[in-house]
C-alpha cells in the first residue's frame, strides 16, 4: 500500500518513449518538459560536430539546427517501430546539423573555384603520371600559391567528410522511416560493413590512412610520424583517399 502511495510517477518523456501518449496528446507544459529534457543531448551533439568542422562554423547555429531536428523527431516518432526515441532523435538531430552546414555552403565562391581547380589538376596529373601530385606540383599546375593550395585541400577534405557523414545520416533516417531495423543496427552493421569492405579495395596506404584517422581516431601528427611524412602531406593523402572512397561508394551503392 505504502509502496503504491509513494511510487514515483512517470515523467512526460518516459510516457512518450513508452508510447502511452503521442506528442500531440501532451499539454503545452508537458511538451516543454520533454524538450527541456532533450536539450542537453542537442548541445552535446552540437559540440561533437563543432570539434570536427572549421572554426567559422558557429556552435549556436549547430544547436539551432539540432533543435529543429529534435522537433521533427518529436512529431514523427513512432514507438511501435521498436527503437528508443533517444536513438531516433539523435539521428534526426545530427542529420539536421549536417544538412544545415551543407545548406549554408560555407565555402566562398573563390574557395570553391580553388577546390575545383585543384581537383581537376589532381585528376589530370594522376592520369598522366600514375601518382598523386605534391603540394608544390599542384601550385605549379594551378598557378596558385602554396598557401592557397593547402587551404583548398583542407576545404576539399571537409567537403568530402561532410558528404560521407550526411550519407550515413540519410541512410539511417530512411531505414527508420520505413519501419526497418534500428539506427545502430542499420548504420553500424550495414553502412559500416559496406564502407569497411570498400576500404579493402583501396590501396594499402589509403586503407591505412582512413582506418587510422576515422576508425582508430589517430591524429594527423601520429599518422604523419608513422608514415615519416609531414602533417600537410597526410592531410593531402587523406583528402584523396576520401574522394576515392566516396566514388567507390557511389559506384557500388548508387549514392
Amino acid at each position: 500500500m505504502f509502496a503504491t502511495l509513494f511510487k514515483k510517477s512517470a515523467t512526460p518523456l518516459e510516457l512518450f518513449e513508452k508510447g502511452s501518449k503521442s506528442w500531440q496528446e501532451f499539454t503545452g507544459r508537458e511538451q516543454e518538459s520533454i524538450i527541456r529534457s532533450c536539450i542537453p543531448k542537442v548541445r552535446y551533439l552540437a559540440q561533437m560536430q563543432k570539434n570536427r568542422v572549421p572554426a567559422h562554423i558557429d556552435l549556436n547555429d549547430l544547436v539551432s539546427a539540432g533543435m529543429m531536428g529534435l522537433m521533427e523527431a518529436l512529431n514523427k516518432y513512432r514507438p511501435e517501430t521498436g527503437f528508443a526515441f533517444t536513438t531516433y532523435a539523435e539521428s534526426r538531430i545530427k542529420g539536421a546539423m549536417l544538412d544545415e552546414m551543407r545548406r549554408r555552403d560555407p565555402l566562398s565562391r573563390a574557395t570553391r573555384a580553388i577546390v575545383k581547380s585543384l581537383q581537376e589538376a589532381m585528376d589530370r596529373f594522376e592520369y598522366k603520371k600514375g601518382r598523386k601530385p605534391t603540394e608544390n606540383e599542384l601550385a605549379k599546375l594551378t598557378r596558385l600559391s602554396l598557401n592557397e593550395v593547402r587551404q583548398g585541400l583542407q576545404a576539399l577534405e571537409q567537403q568530402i567528410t561532410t558528404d560521407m557523414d550526411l550519407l550515413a545520416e540519410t541512410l539511417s533516417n530512411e531505414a527508420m522511416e520505413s519501419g526497418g531495423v534500428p539506427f545502430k543496427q542499420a548504420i553500424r552493421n550495414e553502412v559500416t560493413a559496406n564502407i569497411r569492405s570498400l576500404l579493402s579495395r583501396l590501396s594499402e596506404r589509403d586503407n591505412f590512412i582512413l582506418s587510422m584517422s576515422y576508425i582508430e581516431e589517430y591524429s594527423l601528427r601520429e599518422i604523419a610520424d608513422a608514415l615519416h611524412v609531414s602533417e600537410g602531406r597526410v592531410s593531402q593523402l587523406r583528402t584523396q583517399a576520401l574522394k576515392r572512397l566516396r566514388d567507390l561508394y557511389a559506384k557500388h551503392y548508387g549514392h
Side-chain angles (χ1 to χ4, degrees):
M1 176 179 178
F2 287 103
T4 302
L5 289 173
F6 292 100
K7 183 178 180 181
K8 184 179 179 180
S9 58
T11 66
L13 180 58
E14 290 171 339
L15 291 174
F16 182 57
E17 289 191 320
K18 291 177 182 178
S20 301
K21 298 169 68 175
S22 68
W23 174 248
Q24 291 74 19
E25 291 174 322
F26 286 101
T27 66
R29 180 172 295 182
E30 289 172 331
Q31 289 182 344
E32 183 180 348
S33 173
I34 294 172
I35 294 172
R36 282 201 307 269
S37 298
C38 297
I39 288 177
K41 183 68 171 180
V42 175
R43 293 190 177 279
Y44 170 77
L45 293 173
Q47 188 60 63
M48 292 294 290
Q49 287 293 334
K50 174 62 178 173
N51 293 337
R52 303 180 59 191
V53 299
H56 65 265
I57 301 295
D58 188 70
L59 177 63
N60 290 330
D61 289 340
L62 293 176
V63 172
S64 297
M67 290 301 296
M68 295 297 292
L70 171 64
M71 295 308 300
E72 181 182 11
L74 289 168
N75 280 282
K76 291 187 174 182
Y77 175 61
R78 294 178 290 116
E80 62 270 19
T81 54
F83 44 84
F85 170 71
T86 51
T87 300
Y88 178 77
E90 178 175 332
S91 178
R92 283 288 170 186
I93 292 167
K94 290 168 65 178
M97 292 177 186
L98 290 167
D99 198 37
E100 178 66 10
M101 285 189 287
R102 283 170 58 90
R103 188 186 69 79
R104 286 179 177 271
D105 193 9
L107 297 184
S108 66
R109 181 175 297 179
T111 302
R112 191 163 293 285
I114 289 174
V115 167
K116 181 179 179 181
S117 178
L118 287 171
Q119 188 65 73
E120 291 175 349
M122 286 189 291
D123 290 343
R124 289 196 303 269
F125 188 94
E126 184 176 7
Y127 178 77
K128 292 180 180 179
K129 304 289 187 178
R131 65 174 178 84
K132 297 298 180 182
T134 65
E135 291 179 352
N136 287 327
E137 287 171 331
L138 281 173
K140 184 177 180 180
L141 288 168
T142 59
R143 297 182 180 180
L144 297 169
S145 69
L146 193 58
N147 186 51
E148 288 175 324
V149 169
R150 288 170 178 167
Q151 291 179 347
L153 290 173
Q154 290 176 355
L156 177 60
E157 177 183 348
Q158 179 58 42
Q159 182 182 42
I160 295 173
T161 302
T162 301
D163 286 346
M164 292 297 293
D165 285 344
L166 186 62
L167 170 63
E169 292 304 324
T170 300
L171 289 175
S172 69
N173 288 338
E174 289 176 353
M176 288 185 290
E177 284 300 315
S178 64
V181 294
F183 167 77
K184 288 185 178 180
Q185 292 178 350
I187 294 305
R188 286 172 175 77
N189 292 346
E190 181 181 349
V191 178
T192 301
N194 290 342
I195 290 178
R196 283 180 182 274
S197 68
L198 293 178
L199 284 175
S200 65
R201 296 171 181 259
L202 298 175
S203 69
E204 183 177 351
R205 185 178 62 181
D206 285 351
N207 192 330
F208 175 80
I209 291 173
L210 293 181
S211 297
M212 291 288 282
S213 185
Y214 296 107
I215 297 177
E216 302 298 334
E217 298 186 350
Y218 279 75
S219 67
L220 283 179
R221 167 51 56 191
E222 291 171 319
I223 300 173
D225 289 342
L227 295 177
H228 304 292
V229 296
S230 68
E231 288 185 59
R233 180 57 175 159
V234 171
S235 179
Q236 180 186 5
L237 292 172
R238 188 172 67 177
T239 297
Q240 296 162 356
L242 279 169
K243 180 182 182 299
R244 284 189 282 273
L245 178 61
R246 182 188 62 180
D247 291 344
L248 274 176
Y249 203 105
K251 177 181 179 181
H252 287 274
Y253 301 106
H255 293 280

